[in-house]
PDB file of all heavy atoms in Angstrom:
ATOM      1  N   VAL A   1      -2.736 -47.676 -40.610  1.00 89.00           N
ATOM      2  CA  VAL A   1      -3.530 -46.448 -40.559  1.00 89.00           C
ATOM      3  C   VAL A   1      -2.602 -45.257 -40.325  1.00 89.00           C
ATOM      4  O   VAL A   1      -1.644 -45.346 -39.548  1.00 89.00           O
ATOM      5  CB  VAL A   1      -4.591 -46.539 -39.450  1.00 89.00           C
ATOM      6  CG1 VAL A   1      -5.331 -45.220 -39.291  1.00 89.00           C
ATOM      7  CG2 VAL A   1      -5.574 -47.662 -39.749  1.00 89.00           C
ATOM      8  N   ILE A   2      -2.879 -44.162 -41.009  1.00 93.00           N
ATOM      9  CA  ILE A   2      -2.082 -42.949 -40.848  1.00 93.00           C
ATOM     10  C   ILE A   2      -3.015 -41.801 -40.489  1.00 93.00           C
ATOM     11  O   ILE A   2      -4.067 -41.622 -41.097  1.00 93.00           O
ATOM     12  CB  ILE A   2      -1.282 -42.625 -42.138  1.00 93.00           C
ATOM     13  CG1 ILE A   2      -0.482 -41.334 -41.964  1.00 93.00           C
ATOM     14  CG2 ILE A   2      -2.187 -42.559 -43.360  1.00 93.00           C
ATOM     15  CD1 ILE A   2       0.477 -41.051 -43.101  1.00 93.00           C
ATOM     16  N   THR A   3      -2.667 -41.051 -39.460  1.00 94.00           N
ATOM     17  CA  THR A   3      -3.450 -39.898 -39.013  1.00 94.00           C
ATOM     18  C   THR A   3      -2.535 -38.695 -38.880  1.00 94.00           C
ATOM     19  O   THR A   3      -1.346 -38.829 -38.576  1.00 94.00           O
ATOM     20  CB  THR A   3      -4.127 -40.172 -37.662  1.00 94.00           C
ATOM     21  OG1 THR A   3      -3.116 -40.473 -36.682  1.00 94.00           O
ATOM     22  CG2 THR A   3      -5.082 -41.356 -37.757  1.00 94.00           C
ATOM     23  N   GLY A   4      -3.086 -37.528 -39.100  1.00 95.00           N
ATOM     24  CA  GLY A   4      -2.279 -36.316 -39.009  1.00 95.00           C
ATOM     25  C   GLY A   4      -3.064 -35.116 -39.498  1.00 95.00           C
ATOM     26  O   GLY A   4      -4.285 -35.029 -39.303  1.00 95.00           O
ATOM     27  N   SER A   5      -2.388 -34.204 -40.147  1.00 95.00           N
ATOM     28  CA  SER A   5      -3.022 -32.979 -40.628  1.00 95.00           C
ATOM     29  C   SER A   5      -2.419 -32.570 -41.957  1.00 95.00           C
ATOM     30  O   SER A   5      -1.320 -32.983 -42.317  1.00 95.00           O
ATOM     31  CB  SER A   5      -2.856 -31.845 -39.608  1.00 95.00           C
ATOM     32  OG  SER A   5      -1.479 -31.555 -39.413  1.00 95.00           O
ATOM     33  N   VAL A   6      -3.171 -31.744 -42.673  1.00 95.00           N
ATOM     34  CA  VAL A   6      -2.725 -31.211 -43.961  1.00 95.00           C
ATOM     35  C   VAL A   6      -1.993 -29.893 -43.707  1.00 95.00           C
ATOM     36  O   VAL A   6      -2.559 -28.970 -43.101  1.00 95.00           O
ATOM     37  CB  VAL A   6      -3.923 -31.003 -44.905  1.00 95.00           C
ATOM     38  CG1 VAL A   6      -3.468 -30.356 -46.205  1.00 95.00           C
ATOM     39  CG2 VAL A   6      -4.613 -32.332 -45.182  1.00 95.00           C
ATOM     40  N   GLN A   7      -0.749 -29.816 -44.139  1.00 94.00           N
ATOM     41  CA  GLN A   7       0.077 -28.635 -43.908  1.00 94.00           C
ATOM     42  C   GLN A   7       0.771 -28.229 -45.209  1.00 94.00           C
ATOM     43  O   GLN A   7       1.070 -29.082 -46.045  1.00 94.00           O
ATOM     44  CB  GLN A   7       1.139 -28.908 -42.835  1.00 94.00           C
ATOM     45  CG  GLN A   7       0.589 -29.253 -41.467  1.00 94.00           C
ATOM     46  CD  GLN A   7      -0.086 -28.089 -40.781  1.00 94.00           C
ATOM     47  OE1 GLN A   7       0.059 -26.939 -41.210  1.00 94.00           O
ATOM     48  NE2 GLN A   7      -0.824 -28.369 -39.721  1.00 94.00           N
ATOM     49  N   PRO A   8       1.036 -26.920 -45.391  1.00 93.00           N
ATOM     50  CA  PRO A   8       1.759 -26.485 -46.595  1.00 93.00           C
ATOM     51  C   PRO A   8       3.249 -26.768 -46.473  1.00 93.00           C
ATOM     52  O   PRO A   8       3.838 -26.622 -45.387  1.00 93.00           O
ATOM     53  CB  PRO A   8       1.477 -24.983 -46.648  1.00 93.00           C
ATOM     54  CG  PRO A   8       1.268 -24.605 -45.211  1.00 93.00           C
ATOM     55  CD  PRO A   8       0.614 -25.789 -44.558  1.00 93.00           C
ATOM     56  N   GLU A   9       3.849 -27.170 -47.570  1.00 92.00           N
ATOM     57  CA  GLU A   9       5.295 -27.397 -47.573  1.00 92.00           C
ATOM     58  C   GLU A   9       6.049 -26.072 -47.540  1.00 92.00           C
ATOM     59  O   GLU A   9       7.090 -25.958 -46.902  1.00 92.00           O
ATOM     60  CB  GLU A   9       5.683 -28.204 -48.805  1.00 92.00           C
ATOM     61  CG  GLU A   9       7.145 -28.564 -48.870  1.00 92.00           C
ATOM     62  CD  GLU A   9       7.485 -29.447 -50.050  1.00 92.00           C
ATOM     63  OE1 GLU A   9       6.563 -29.803 -50.816  1.00 92.00           O
ATOM     64  OE2 GLU A   9       8.671 -29.796 -50.205  1.00 92.00           O
ATOM     65  N   ARG A  10       5.508 -25.060 -48.220  1.00 93.00           N
ATOM     66  CA  ARG A  10       6.126 -23.732 -48.229  1.00 93.00           C
ATOM     67  C   ARG A  10       5.331 -22.830 -47.290  1.00 93.00           C
ATOM     68  O   ARG A  10       4.181 -22.483 -47.556  1.00 93.00           O
ATOM     69  CB  ARG A  10       6.140 -23.146 -49.638  1.00 93.00           C
ATOM     70  CG  ARG A  10       6.895 -23.974 -50.656  1.00 93.00           C
ATOM     71  CD  ARG A  10       6.909 -23.287 -52.002  1.00 93.00           C
ATOM     72  NE  ARG A  10       7.675 -22.046 -51.968  1.00 93.00           N
ATOM     73  CZ  ARG A  10       7.637 -21.129 -52.925  1.00 93.00           C
ATOM     74  NH1 ARG A  10       6.847 -21.314 -53.979  1.00 93.00           N
ATOM     75  NH2 ARG A  10       8.374 -20.038 -52.851  1.00 93.00           N
ATOM     76  N   ARG A  11       5.952 -22.465 -46.180  1.00 93.00           N
ATOM     77  CA  ARG A  11       5.332 -21.580 -45.209  1.00 93.00           C
ATOM     78  C   ARG A  11       6.418 -20.747 -44.548  1.00 93.00           C
ATOM     79  O   ARG A  11       7.537 -21.221 -44.359  1.00 93.00           O
ATOM     80  CB  ARG A  11       4.555 -22.376 -44.161  1.00 93.00           C
ATOM     81  CG  ARG A  11       5.369 -23.485 -43.515  1.00 93.00           C
ATOM     82  CD  ARG A  11       4.492 -24.404 -42.705  1.00 93.00           C
ATOM     83  NE  ARG A  11       5.231 -25.581 -42.260  1.00 93.00           N
ATOM     84  CZ  ARG A  11       4.672 -26.647 -41.728  1.00 93.00           C
ATOM     85  NH1 ARG A  11       3.364 -26.682 -41.558  1.00 93.00           N
ATOM     86  NH2 ARG A  11       5.407 -27.679 -41.352  1.00 93.00           N
ATOM     87  N   ALA A  12       6.086 -19.526 -44.206  1.00 94.00           N
ATOM     88  CA  ALA A  12       7.083 -18.615 -43.630  1.00 94.00           C
ATOM     89  C   ALA A  12       6.457 -17.832 -42.492  1.00 94.00           C
ATOM     90  O   ALA A  12       5.365 -17.264 -42.641  1.00 94.00           O
ATOM     91  CB  ALA A  12       7.622 -17.664 -44.700  1.00 94.00           C
ATOM     92  N   ASP A  13       7.138 -17.835 -41.346  1.00 94.00           N
ATOM     93  CA  ASP A  13       6.748 -17.000 -40.214  1.00 94.00           C
ATOM     94  C   ASP A  13       7.635 -15.765 -40.243  1.00 94.00           C
ATOM     95  O   ASP A  13       8.821 -15.823 -39.868  1.00 94.00           O
ATOM     96  CB  ASP A  13       6.928 -17.754 -38.894  1.00 94.00           C
ATOM     97  CG  ASP A  13       6.025 -18.977 -38.812  1.00 94.00           C
ATOM     98  OD1 ASP A  13       5.035 -19.015 -39.567  1.00 94.00           O
ATOM     99  OD2 ASP A  13       6.306 -19.875 -38.009  1.00 94.00           O
ATOM    100  N   LEU A  14       7.091 -14.656 -40.694  1.00 94.00           N
ATOM    101  CA  LEU A  14       7.869 -13.426 -40.833  1.00 94.00           C
ATOM    102  C   LEU A  14       7.925 -12.710 -39.488  1.00 94.00           C
ATOM    103  O   LEU A  14       6.886 -12.392 -38.891  1.00 94.00           O
ATOM    104  CB  LEU A  14       7.244 -12.530 -41.904  1.00 94.00           C
ATOM    105  CG  LEU A  14       7.081 -13.181 -43.288  1.00 94.00           C
ATOM    106  CD1 LEU A  14       6.489 -12.189 -44.274  1.00 94.00           C
ATOM    107  CD2 LEU A  14       8.424 -13.701 -43.796  1.00 94.00           C
ATOM    108  N   ARG A  15       9.150 -12.432 -39.011  1.00 95.00           N
ATOM    109  CA  ARG A  15       9.360 -11.811 -37.702  1.00 95.00           C
ATOM    110  C   ARG A  15      10.102 -10.489 -37.860  1.00 95.00           C
ATOM    111  O   ARG A  15      10.779 -10.243 -38.864  1.00 95.00           O
ATOM    112  CB  ARG A  15      10.144 -12.759 -36.790  1.00 95.00           C
ATOM    113  CG  ARG A  15       9.443 -14.095 -36.565  1.00 95.00           C
ATOM    114  CD  ARG A  15      10.282 -15.043 -35.743  1.00 95.00           C
ATOM    115  NE  ARG A  15       9.619 -16.328 -35.563  1.00 95.00           N
ATOM    116  CZ  ARG A  15       8.777 -16.601 -34.588  1.00 95.00           C
ATOM    117  NH1 ARG A  15       8.508 -15.663 -33.679  1.00 95.00           N
ATOM    118  NH2 ARG A  15       8.197 -17.784 -34.490  1.00 95.00           N
ATOM    119  N   ALA A  16       9.964  -9.661 -36.834  1.00 94.00           N
ATOM    120  CA  ALA A  16      10.630  -8.353 -36.841  1.00 94.00           C
ATOM    121  C   ALA A  16      12.134  -8.531 -36.661  1.00 94.00           C
ATOM    122  O   ALA A  16      12.574  -9.278 -35.788  1.00 94.00           O
ATOM    123  CB  ALA A  16      10.060  -7.476 -35.741  1.00 94.00           C
ATOM    124  N   GLU A  17      12.927  -7.850 -37.492  1.00 92.00           N
ATOM    125  CA  GLU A  17      14.389  -7.899 -37.394  1.00 92.00           C
ATOM    126  C   GLU A  17      14.958  -6.642 -36.761  1.00 92.00           C
ATOM    127  O   GLU A  17      16.167  -6.555 -36.537  1.00 92.00           O
ATOM    128  CB  GLU A  17      14.994  -8.097 -38.784  1.00 92.00           C
ATOM    129  CG  GLU A  17      14.586  -9.414 -39.430  1.00 92.00           C
ATOM    130  CD  GLU A  17      15.243  -9.614 -40.781  1.00 92.00           C
ATOM    131  OE1 GLU A  17      16.438  -9.944 -40.801  1.00 92.00           O
ATOM    132  OE2 GLU A  17      14.552  -9.424 -41.802  1.00 92.00           O
ATOM    133  N   VAL A  18      14.073  -5.653 -36.523  1.00 92.00           N
ATOM    134  CA  VAL A  18      14.478  -4.424 -35.830  1.00 92.00           C
ATOM    135  C   VAL A  18      13.411  -4.095 -34.792  1.00 92.00           C
ATOM    136  O   VAL A  18      12.257  -4.491 -34.920  1.00 92.00           O
ATOM    137  CB  VAL A  18      14.646  -3.243 -36.808  1.00 92.00           C
ATOM    138  CG1 VAL A  18      15.780  -3.487 -37.783  1.00 92.00           C
ATOM    139  CG2 VAL A  18      13.349  -2.972 -37.557  1.00 92.00           C
ATOM    140  N   SER A  19      13.799  -3.395 -33.751  1.00 92.00           N
ATOM    141  CA  SER A  19      12.852  -2.955 -32.728  1.00 92.00           C
ATOM    142  C   SER A  19      12.257  -1.621 -33.169  1.00 92.00           C
ATOM    143  O   SER A  19      12.984  -0.626 -33.281  1.00 92.00           O
ATOM    144  CB  SER A  19      13.544  -2.813 -31.371  1.00 92.00           C
ATOM    145  OG  SER A  19      14.016  -4.059 -30.919  1.00 92.00           O
ATOM    146  N   SER A  20      10.950  -1.638 -33.400  1.00 92.00           N
ATOM    147  CA  SER A  20      10.308  -0.431 -33.895  1.00 92.00           C
ATOM    148  C   SER A  20       8.803  -0.539 -33.692  1.00 92.00           C
ATOM    149  O   SER A  20       8.295  -1.575 -33.260  1.00 92.00           O
ATOM    150  CB  SER A  20      10.649  -0.206 -35.370  1.00 92.00           C
ATOM    151  OG  SER A  20      10.134   1.030 -35.800  1.00 92.00           O
ATOM    152  N   VAL A  21       8.106   0.517 -34.023  1.00 94.00           N
ATOM    153  CA  VAL A  21       6.642   0.576 -33.911  1.00 94.00           C
ATOM    154  C   VAL A  21       6.026   0.264 -35.269  1.00 94.00           C
ATOM    155  O   VAL A  21       6.525   0.718 -36.302  1.00 94.00           O
ATOM    156  CB  VAL A  21       6.192   1.968 -33.425  1.00 94.00           C
ATOM    157  CG1 VAL A  21       4.661   2.060 -33.379  1.00 94.00           C
ATOM    158  CG2 VAL A  21       6.774   2.267 -32.052  1.00 94.00           C
ATOM    159  N   VAL A  22       4.968  -0.532 -35.259  1.00 94.00           N
ATOM    160  CA  VAL A  22       4.281  -0.893 -36.493  1.00 94.00           C
ATOM    161  C   VAL A  22       3.479   0.311 -36.982  1.00 94.00           C
ATOM    162  O   VAL A  22       2.619   0.832 -36.274  1.00 94.00           O
ATOM    163  CB  VAL A  22       3.338  -2.094 -36.270  1.00 94.00           C
ATOM    164  CG1 VAL A  22       2.592  -2.434 -37.563  1.00 94.00           C
ATOM    165  CG2 VAL A  22       4.122  -3.307 -35.777  1.00 94.00           C
ATOM    166  N   LEU A  23       3.783   0.750 -38.186  1.00 94.00           N
ATOM    167  CA  LEU A  23       3.061   1.882 -38.765  1.00 94.00           C
ATOM    168  C   LEU A  23       1.850   1.433 -39.590  1.00 94.00           C
ATOM    169  O   LEU A  23       0.794   2.065 -39.538  1.00 94.00           O
ATOM    170  CB  LEU A  23       3.994   2.702 -39.661  1.00 94.00           C
ATOM    171  CG  LEU A  23       5.104   3.484 -38.978  1.00 94.00           C
ATOM    172  CD1 LEU A  23       5.896   4.272 -40.021  1.00 94.00           C
ATOM    173  CD2 LEU A  23       4.519   4.428 -37.928  1.00 94.00           C
ATOM    174  N   GLN A  24       1.995   0.347 -40.312  1.00 93.00           N
ATOM    175  CA  GLN A  24       0.947  -0.043 -41.252  1.00 93.00           C
ATOM    176  C   GLN A  24       1.014  -1.536 -41.529  1.00 93.00           C
ATOM    177  O   GLN A  24       2.109  -2.098 -41.663  1.00 93.00           O
ATOM    178  CB  GLN A  24       1.103   0.743 -42.566  1.00 93.00           C
ATOM    179  CG  GLN A  24      -0.061   0.645 -43.514  1.00 93.00           C
ATOM    180  CD  GLN A  24       0.157   1.503 -44.760  1.00 93.00           C
ATOM    181  OE1 GLN A  24       1.267   2.018 -44.977  1.00 93.00           O
ATOM    182  NE2 GLN A  24      -0.887   1.668 -45.543  1.00 93.00           N
ATOM    183  N   VAL A  25      -0.160  -2.180 -41.566  1.00 94.00           N
ATOM    184  CA  VAL A  25      -0.293  -3.572 -41.993  1.00 94.00           C
ATOM    185  C   VAL A  25      -1.148  -3.563 -43.249  1.00 94.00           C
ATOM    186  O   VAL A  25      -2.316  -3.195 -43.214  1.00 94.00           O
ATOM    187  CB  VAL A  25      -0.941  -4.459 -40.901  1.00 94.00           C
ATOM    188  CG1 VAL A  25      -1.040  -5.894 -41.386  1.00 94.00           C
ATOM    189  CG2 VAL A  25      -0.137  -4.396 -39.608  1.00 94.00           C
ATOM    190  N   LEU A  26      -0.558  -3.970 -44.370  1.00 94.00           N
ATOM    191  CA  LEU A  26      -1.224  -3.782 -45.658  1.00 94.00           C
ATOM    192  C   LEU A  26      -2.050  -4.980 -46.111  1.00 94.00           C
ATOM    193  O   LEU A  26      -2.804  -4.864 -47.083  1.00 94.00           O
ATOM    194  CB  LEU A  26      -0.184  -3.452 -46.744  1.00 94.00           C
ATOM    195  CG  LEU A  26       0.462  -2.071 -46.628  1.00 94.00           C
ATOM    196  CD1 LEU A  26       1.673  -2.097 -45.744  1.00 94.00           C
ATOM    197  CD2 LEU A  26       0.806  -1.513 -48.008  1.00 94.00           C
ATOM    198  N   LYS A  27      -1.912  -6.145 -45.477  1.00 93.00           N
ATOM    199  CA  LYS A  27      -2.647  -7.332 -45.913  1.00 93.00           C
ATOM    200  C   LYS A  27      -3.388  -7.946 -44.731  1.00 93.00           C
ATOM    201  O   LYS A  27      -2.929  -7.900 -43.598  1.00 93.00           O
ATOM    202  CB  LYS A  27      -1.699  -8.367 -46.533  1.00 93.00           C
ATOM    203  CG  LYS A  27      -0.968  -7.890 -47.795  1.00 93.00           C
ATOM    204  CD  LYS A  27      -1.920  -7.684 -48.951  1.00 93.00           C
ATOM    205  CE  LYS A  27      -1.158  -7.269 -50.208  1.00 93.00           C
ATOM    206  NZ  LYS A  27      -2.057  -7.084 -51.369  1.00 93.00           N
ATOM    207  N   GLU A  28      -4.547  -8.529 -45.049  1.00 92.00           N
ATOM    208  CA  GLU A  28      -5.359  -9.196 -44.037  1.00 92.00           C
ATOM    209  C   GLU A  28      -5.321 -10.711 -44.254  1.00 92.00           C
ATOM    210  O   GLU A  28      -4.858 -11.192 -45.294  1.00 92.00           O
ATOM    211  CB  GLU A  28      -6.809  -8.700 -44.098  1.00 92.00           C
ATOM    212  CG  GLU A  28      -6.978  -7.231 -43.755  1.00 92.00           C
ATOM    213  CD  GLU A  28      -6.715  -6.946 -42.286  1.00 92.00           C
ATOM    214  OE1 GLU A  28      -6.812  -7.883 -41.470  1.00 92.00           O
ATOM    215  OE2 GLU A  28      -6.400  -5.792 -41.953  1.00 92.00           O
ATOM    216  N   ASN A  29      -5.835 -11.445 -43.280  1.00 92.00           N
ATOM    217  CA  ASN A  29      -5.880 -12.898 -43.380  1.00 92.00           C
ATOM    218  C   ASN A  29      -6.689 -13.331 -44.602  1.00 92.00           C
ATOM    219  O   ASN A  29      -7.777 -12.813 -44.852  1.00 92.00           O
ATOM    220  CB  ASN A  29      -6.523 -13.503 -42.127  1.00 92.00           C
ATOM    221  CG  ASN A  29      -5.637 -13.361 -40.908  1.00 92.00           C
ATOM    222  OD1 ASN A  29      -4.443 -13.119 -41.031  1.00 92.00           O
ATOM    223  ND2 ASN A  29      -6.207 -13.526 -39.731  1.00 92.00           N
ATOM    224  N   GLY A  30      -6.140 -14.287 -45.341  1.00 90.00           N
ATOM    225  CA  GLY A  30      -6.820 -14.815 -46.513  1.00 90.00           C
ATOM    226  C   GLY A  30      -6.524 -14.097 -47.811  1.00 90.00           C
ATOM    227  O   GLY A  30      -6.901 -14.569 -48.882  1.00 90.00           O
ATOM    228  N   GLU A  31      -5.836 -12.956 -47.742  1.00 93.00           N
ATOM    229  CA  GLU A  31      -5.522 -12.212 -48.968  1.00 93.00           C
ATOM    230  C   GLU A  31      -4.336 -12.846 -49.682  1.00 93.00           C
ATOM    231  O   GLU A  31      -3.363 -13.275 -49.057  1.00 93.00           O
ATOM    232  CB  GLU A  31      -5.225 -10.750 -48.649  1.00 93.00           C
ATOM    233  CG  GLU A  31      -6.440  -9.947 -48.228  1.00 93.00           C
ATOM    234  CD  GLU A  31      -6.142  -8.461 -48.197  1.00 93.00           C
ATOM    235  OE1 GLU A  31      -5.430  -7.970 -49.097  1.00 93.00           O
ATOM    236  OE2 GLU A  31      -6.611  -7.787 -47.257  1.00 93.00           O
ATOM    237  N   SER A  32      -4.430 -12.857 -50.994  1.00 93.00           N
ATOM    238  CA  SER A  32      -3.340 -13.386 -51.814  1.00 93.00           C
ATOM    239  C   SER A  32      -2.231 -12.343 -51.943  1.00 93.00           C
ATOM    240  O   SER A  32      -2.501 -11.135 -52.017  1.00 93.00           O
ATOM    241  CB  SER A  32      -3.861 -13.780 -53.201  1.00 93.00           C
ATOM    242  OG  SER A  32      -4.841 -14.780 -53.103  1.00 93.00           O
ATOM    243  N   VAL A  33      -1.009 -12.804 -51.981  1.00 95.00           N
ATOM    244  CA  VAL A  33       0.146 -11.918 -52.124  1.00 95.00           C
ATOM    245  C   VAL A  33       1.084 -12.501 -53.173  1.00 95.00           C
ATOM    246  O   VAL A  33       1.096 -13.707 -53.416  1.00 95.00           O
ATOM    247  CB  VAL A  33       0.895 -11.731 -50.793  1.00 95.00           C
ATOM    248  CG1 VAL A  33       0.013 -11.059 -49.765  1.00 95.00           C
ATOM    249  CG2 VAL A  33       1.402 -13.068 -50.259  1.00 95.00           C
ATOM    250  N   LYS A  34       1.862 -11.625 -53.775  1.00 95.00           N
ATOM    251  CA  LYS A  34       2.887 -12.039 -54.717  1.00 95.00           C
ATOM    252  C   LYS A  34       4.255 -11.817 -54.094  1.00 95.00           C
ATOM    253  O   LYS A  34       4.406 -11.029 -53.156  1.00 95.00           O
ATOM    254  CB  LYS A  34       2.762 -11.250 -56.029  1.00 95.00           C
ATOM    255  CG  LYS A  34       1.487 -11.545 -56.803  1.00 95.00           C
ATOM    256  CD  LYS A  34       1.457 -10.779 -58.103  1.00 95.00           C
ATOM    257  CE  LYS A  34       0.196 -11.089 -58.903  1.00 95.00           C
ATOM    258  NZ  LYS A  34       0.149 -10.344 -60.177  1.00 95.00           N
TER     259      LYS A  34
END
């Protein structure tokens, strides 16, 4: 028997590389991006 979860092979956690204030977030959860 095998148990676990379904996960994407391609996934990215995008993090801040500079210290700054967030001006704008252009995409919401569930939106498709290119």
